[in-house]
Amino acid sequence: MSQKVFPVMAAGLFAALTLSTSALAQAPQAPAYATTKVEGTDNVYIFRYANHQSMFIVTKAGVIATDPISLRRPAAKAYIEEIRKITQAPIKYVIYSHAHYDHIAGGKPFKDLGATFIAHKNAKARIVELKPDDVVVPDQVVDKQKTISLGGMTLELIYVGRNHSDSTLVMRLPKEKIIFTVDWIPLGAVQFRDMADTYIPDIEGPEK
Ligand SMILES: [Zn+2]
């Protein structure tokens, strides 16, 4: 398999369950955020803020961003500033990886710039029903699959059923052979003793 996969952890749970106070105090101070170009690409980047990561794609016609990762913190401001160091092209899309607020809260600065928000239909239904603070309601939804084409880039948004949440999208760049998806369990391991809102049997395989 030559696909690059970027599984990302839910930072809050990770900190709460695996780091004691003293371990936190002793942890080396990493920069609050950083942007890294994905190896082998010209225009695909990972933006990290604390322990959360998002992918963004830069084209001449505009930028496709993913999760704002701004729950009770100014990550979206830093995220947009990082994008602006690379391009002045408009930020056309924000894609929600799944419905968990630690990933999708705080998208208003992107909305103010005119971005179209896209999520799985179960994510939009949950957001519309629960009306969480500081979560932009998606403008468009994905059922099984949706393809975004922008500036010569193709991004597939694929729903493969319940795994972590019932609204996770697999984001695939077919030309670059990259998959970006969030909070999945790695092969042969689990991230947390209690992986919240995760459907283990469904991850192992769909019901026949
Ligand atoms: Zn999650």
Side-chain angles (χ1 to χ4, degrees):
M1 296 284 285
S2 58
Q3 303 265 19
K4 291 195 178 81
V5 182
F6 298 94
V8 185
M9 293 188 220
L13 282 168
F14 185 80
L17 294 176
T18 64
L19 292 180
S20 69
T21 308
S22 62
L24 276 172
Q26 290 163 12
Q29 289 293 310
Y33 60 88
T35 299
T36 314
K37 189 192 282 186
V38 176
E39 203 179 316
T41 74
D42 296 326
N43 58 345
V44 182
Y45 298 84
I46 295 293
F47 171 72
R48 177 192 63 78
Y49 194 101
N51 292 329
H52 286 74
Q53 296 186 90
S54 295
M55 176 179 74
F56 66 94
I57 303 154
V58 175
T59 80
K60 284 196 173 64
V63 177
I64 305 170
T66 62
D67 300 331
I69 53 174
S70 295
L71 182 65
R72 295 188 290 274
R73 60 187 191 176
K77 180 173 178 291
Y79 192 169
I80 291 168
E81 286 170 1
E82 290 289 278
I83 291 171
R84 285 290 170 252
K85 287 179 190 171
I86 298 163
T87 180
Q88 298 305 311
I91 300 171
K92 292 277 197 185
Y93 297 102
V94 172
I95 318 291
Y96 288 164
S97 61
H98 63 306
H100 291 164
Y101 305 151
D102 59 322
H103 295 272
I104 66 173
K108 188 170 180 300
F110 289 94
K111 190 77 223 167
D112 291 344
L113 293 173
T116 297
F117 282 57
I118 303 177
H120 185 258
K121 65 176 184 176
N122 292 346
K124 178 165 183 175
R126 186 180 172 88
I127 293 162
V128 168
E129 183 184 349
L130 299 178
K131 300 182 179 60
D133 287 341
D134 200 22
V135 173
V136 174
V137 176
D139 303 295
Q140 298 178 14
V141 295
V142 181
D143 183 358
K144 293 274 185 275
Q145 182 160 352
K146 184 184 190 76
T147 300
I148 297 174
S149 298
L150 183 70
M153 293 290 288
T154 300
L155 174 65
E156 298 170 352
L157 308 176
I158 305 164
Y159 184 65
V160 296
R162 298 189 306 184
N163 34 69
H164 174 70
S165 84
D166 66 354
S167 60
T168 293
L169 292 176
V170 174
M171 305 182 205
R172 179 170 179 263
L173 291 160
K175 190 157 51 86
E176 292 76 11
K177 295 191 168 67
I178 289 172
I179 285 173
F180 178 80
T181 191
V182 169
D183 282 354
W184 283 49
I185 57 173
L187 291 174
V190 291
Q191 288 165 343
F192 315 113
R193 190 177 293 272
D194 177 14
M195 189 72 190
D197 195 17
T198 295
Y199 302 84
I200 299 292
D202 297 65
I203 287 177
E204 290 177 345
E207 281 183 31
K208 296 290 190 297

